[in-house]
Amino acid sequence: MQYFTQEEPGPSEKTLNLIRQIAYSCRSVKMNGKYELYSLN
């Protein structure tokens, strides 16, 4: 098994910010037994 160490390249700060924006603006809700996505925008 391979472990992440600081010597290995990780995602850039720009990529992390994009992921944060998507996670903040999109939410999932369970309706009628199914998960559905909706946007807060």
Side-chain angles (χ1 to χ4, degrees):
M1 181 186 287
Q2 208 172 18
Y3 293 97
F4 177 80
T5 62
Q6 293 298 355
E7 293 85 34
E8 295 178 16
S12 69
E13 193 61 34
K14 188 175 181 180
T15 303
L16 292 175
N17 286 335
L18 178 63
I19 292 170
R20 288 182 190 112
Q21 286 177 344
I22 293 169
Y24 177 77
S25 64
C26 295
R27 295 288 183 255
S28 65
V29 65
K30 191 172 185 179
M31 297 173 62
N32 300 325
K34 293 171 126 181
Y35 284 100
E36 298 194 20
L37 291 176
Y38 68 95
S39 177
L40 298 176
N41 294 336

